[in-house]
Amino acid sequence: MNIFLASIPIIVLIVLMGVFKMSSDKSSLITLLVTVGLAVGCFDFSWSASGVTFLYGATKALFPILFVILMAIYSYNVLVATGRINVLKEQFASVSTDRSVQVLLITWGFGGLLEGMAGFGTAVAIPAAILISLGYKPLFSALVSLIANSVPTAFGAVGVPVIVLGQQTELPLVTLSSMVVMQLSLLMFLVPMVITFLTDSRREVVGKNLVLSLVVGAVSLAVQYFSAVYIGAELPAILGSIASIIVILIIGKIIERGQTCKPQPTKYTFGQILDAWAVYILILLLVLFTSPIFPGIRAALGDAWASTFDYPIGGVTKHITIQWLTQAGLLLFIGSLVGGLLQGGRLGHLMKVLGRSCCQLWQTVVTVICLIAFSSIMEYAGMTFTLAEALAVATGAAYPLFAPLIGALGTFLTGSDTSANIMFGKLQATVGSQIGVDPNWIAAANTAGATGGKIISPQSISIATSACNTQGTEGVILKNAVPYALAYVIIAGIVVWFYS
C-alpha cells in the first residue's frame, strides 16, 4: 500500500500532462497539493515539516534553476534586441544547406557545449530558440533540443553531477567518470542518429545521416572518455562538444561540395562575427574561469559573497548556500549585459528586455517551484525511497537492468541529474554491493539513467515551451518525447546489465 500511495503523485502528474493535456503550471500545482495530502495523511509527515520543505524546495528552484533559465532566455533576447541573432542565424545557415547538419550542430554541438558550461536548462532553451529563428517548427525544435540534452547532462555544469555522485558514494571519481562514459557509449551514436532522422528521414539521405551520426558519435565517445580518465569530470561534456562542433563543420563542408544548392557564404567580417558571438564568448569565459578548473579563483569568489539558508526538516537542518559570484545565473546575466553593451545596446533598453524576459517566464516559475517542492516533500517524507527500494527488491538479481530506471525517476522528479545522484546515488552503490556487482558500475548507472529521464522531465519540457513561446503545449511535447526517453533508458539498462 505504501508503494501504491508513494506512486500516486507521479501518476497524477503524468495523467494531467499527458492524458488531459493540462498546462504544466496547473498540473504541477495540483500534484504538489496531492503530495502534501499524502505525506501528511499517510506518511506521518507534519504540516509544519511540509511547509518548511516547500520553502526549501522553492529556494532550490529559484537558485540556481530558475535564475539560470531566466538568464539563458535573457541572453537570447539580448541578441534579438541588438539584432545580432540575425548574424548567428546566417552563420549557422552558412555551414550547410543540409538540415541534418544544421540541427545537429545547434542541438548536439552547441547545445552540448552550453550544457557542459552552465547546465540547468540553458542547453534546451537557447538551441530551441535558435532553431525557431531559423524557421523550424516549435514542436520539432523543442523535441530535438530535449533529446539532444540527454547524454551531455552526465557531465553538465562543469561535471557537477558526477562530482556530487562521487561525494555521495565516496567512490573514486575517475572510475565513476570513465564508467559513465562507457555506459553512455552506445547512446552517443544513437542520439545523433535520432536527431538527424527526425530532421530529415527521406530515403535518399539515410546513408548520409548514418555516416554523420557515426562519425560524430565516435569523436564524442573518444574525447569524452579521454577527458574523463586523464583530465577529470569537469571537461568531458565541454571538450566532447567542441570536438563534435569541429567534426560537424568539416562534414558540412564535405556535403556542401556534392550539392548543387550551396549555402550563401557569410557576408560578415571576422570582427562582425566576433561581435555577434560576444554574449556567448563572455559567458563561456566567465563560466570556465569560475569553474573547478581554476580552484583558487572559484574559492576566492565563493567566499567573497555567500548566503546560507537553514531549513529544519524532520529533526535535521538542511542548508542551502548560495555563492553568488560563482552562480551560473549571475555569470549568464553579466555575460549577456556586457555583451549587449558591446554590441551597441543601451543600458535602459537592455533592462527593459530583462523585464520582458521575466514576464515571459511566469508559468515556468510556478511550474518549477511546484515541481521541486513536491519532489522535496516526496524525498523527505520517505516516498521516493519507498519507490526505489521497492524496485530494487522486486528486480533482485536483474537489478542492474533496472538501475538506470531509478536514476531516470530521480531526474523526472527533480529535473536535475545532480539531484538524482543526491537522492539515489548512495542507494544504488549499496544495492550493488549487496547483490555482488561493482558498486562503481551501479552508481554510474544512476547517472546514465538520469540523462534519459532528463528528456521527459517536466521542468525541461517547461523550459522548452518557454523558449519556443508555446506555453500550454507541455502535454503534447511530453507525449512525443516519452517513446524516446523509454527507449533511451531501456538501452542504458541493457548495457549496464550486459557488462555487470
Side-chain angles (χ1 to χ4, degrees):
M1 179 57 70
N2 279 347
I3 296 169
F4 170 71
L5 292 172
S7 65
I8 287 178
I10 300 172
I11 296 172
V12 168
L13 183 64
I14 293 174
V15 169
L16 290 178
M17 290 184 63
V19 178
F20 292 103
K21 306 295 188 297
M22 189 176 291
S23 63
S24 62
D25 55 326
K26 294 178 182 177
S27 299
S28 57
L29 179 58
I30 293 172
T31 302
L32 172 62
L33 296 176
V34 170
T35 305
V36 171
L38 288 168
V40 173
C42 305
F43 289 87
D44 299 323
F45 205 59
S46 67
W47 286 106
S48 60
S50 297
V52 174
T53 307
F54 170 80
L55 293 175
Y56 173 71
T59 304
K60 288 200 300 181
L62 288 168
F63 306 100
I65 299 171
L66 284 168
F67 193 18
V68 170
I69 294 171
L70 170 61
M71 293 309 157
I73 298 298
Y74 177 58
S75 68
Y76 175 79
N77 288 341
V78 166
L79 293 173
V80 173
T82 61
R84 298 309 191 274
I85 190 63
N86 296 320
V87 181
L88 298 188
K89 283 163 54 178
E90 291 192 31
Q91 279 295 108
F92 283 117
S94 67
V95 171
S96 173
T97 56
D98 188 280
R99 290 165 57 88
S100 298
V101 171
Q102 283 184 356
V103 174
L104 198 61
L105 176 64
I106 294 169
T107 58
W108 179 264
F110 185 51
L113 182 60
L114 290 171
E115 178 63 37
M117 292 190 302
F120 298 106
T122 54
V124 174
I126 294 174
I130 291 175
L131 285 174
I132 288 178
S133 71
L134 287 171
Y136 292 94
K137 294 181 179 179
L139 178 59
F140 168 83
S141 301
L143 182 61
V144 293
S145 297
L146 287 166
I147 293 172
N149 188 227
S150 51
V151 173
T153 61
F155 297 96
V158 201
V160 168
V162 177
I163 292 171
V164 166
L165 181 64
Q167 294 170 345
Q168 293 291 110
T169 59
E170 299 180 352
L171 295 171
L173 191 57
V174 172
T175 304
L176 287 173
S177 299
S178 61
M179 287 186 173
V180 168
V181 175
M182 290 167 62
Q183 291 174 2
L184 293 173
S185 58
L186 181 58
L187 290 160
M188 290 188 193
F189 294 92
L190 294 178
V191 171
M193 199 174 296
V194 168
I195 293 171
T196 56
F197 278 88
L198 280 174
T199 305
D200 194 346
S201 58
R202 292 174 299 160
R203 185 175 300 177
E204 58 266 30
V205 299
V206 168
K208 179 264 300 178
N209 283 347
L210 283 173
V211 171
L212 177 61
S213 304
L214 291 174
V215 174
V216 170
V219 169
S220 299
L221 174 58
V223 173
Q224 289 209 29
Y225 186 79
F226 178 87
S227 302
V229 174
Y230 296 105
I231 301 177
E234 292 84 5
L235 288 179
I238 293 175
L239 295 181
S241 297
I242 291 173
S244 296
I245 289 172
I246 294 171
V247 169
I248 295 170
L249 290 173
I250 293 172
I251 294 176
K253 294 301 179 184
I254 294 173
I255 292 174
E256 176 189 329
R257 293 177 183 175
Q259 293 178 334
T260 54
C261 180
K262 297 183 183 295
Q264 292 293 325
T266 179
K267 60 186 178 182
Y268 300 103
T269 65
F270 177 77
Q272 290 173 317
I273 293 172
L274 193 64
D275 172 69
W277 282 96
V279 168
Y280 294 137
I281 290 173
L282 286 172
I283 290 172
L284 174 58
L285 292 175
L286 288 170
V287 169
L288 286 179
F289 279 114
T290 57
S291 75
I293 301 172
F294 300 98
I297 297 175
R298 183 176 179 86
L301 291 175
D303 295 337
W305 183 17
S307 303
T308 300
F309 303 90
D310 300 325
Y311 300 90
I313 304 173
V316 178
T317 301
K318 306 297 294 185
H319 307 282
I320 295 179
T321 299
I322 303 172
Q323 296 177 317
W324 294 102
L325 297 181
T326 58
Q327 266 285 315
L330 182 63
L331 302 179
L332 284 165
F333 170 70
I334 294 172
S336 302
L337 182 62
V338 175
L341 292 172
L342 291 175
Q343 292 171 344
R346 290 177 289 104
L347 181 61
H349 181 55
L350 293 176
M351 289 295 100
K352 289 180 181 178
V353 172
L354 178 61
R356 289 199 300 269
S357 300
C358 292
C359 295
Q360 179 183 343
L361 292 178
W362 71 269
Q363 282 184 305
T364 303
V365 171
V366 173
T367 299
V368 174
I369 288 176
C370 289
L371 287 173
I372 296 294
F374 109 78
S375 67
S376 298
I377 292 171
M378 283 191 67
E379 178 183 357
Y380 293 109
M383 299 165 74
T384 300
F385 189 84
T386 297
L387 292 176
E389 191 175 39
L391 182 58
V393 172
T395 55
Y399 181 80
L401 184 65
F402 297 93
L405 181 60
I406 294 178
L409 173 65
T411 313
F412 176 81
L413 291 173
T414 65
S416 165
D417 201 323
T418 302
S419 297
N421 286 339
I422 292 172
M423 291 169 64
F424 297 135
K426 187 66 176 179
L427 170 67
Q428 298 265 34
T430 302
V431 174
S433 298
Q434 291 174 347
I435 64 176
V437 178
D438 184 357
N440 291 283
W441 186 253
I442 299 299
N446 193 76
T447 295
T451 60
K454 187 80 171 178
I455 298 173
I456 54 170
S457 163
Q459 294 173 46
S460 294
I461 292 174
S462 181
I463 293 168
T465 57
S466 298
C468 300
N469 200 25
T470 55
Q471 291 90 336
T473 62
E474 291 84 2
V476 178
I477 295 175
L478 176 63
K479 184 178 179 180
N480 282 273
V482 162
Y484 299 101
L486 286 176
Y488 188 106
V489 175
I490 289 171
I491 291 168
I494 292 172
V495 171
V496 172
W497 172 76
F498 187 79
Y499 289 102
S500 64

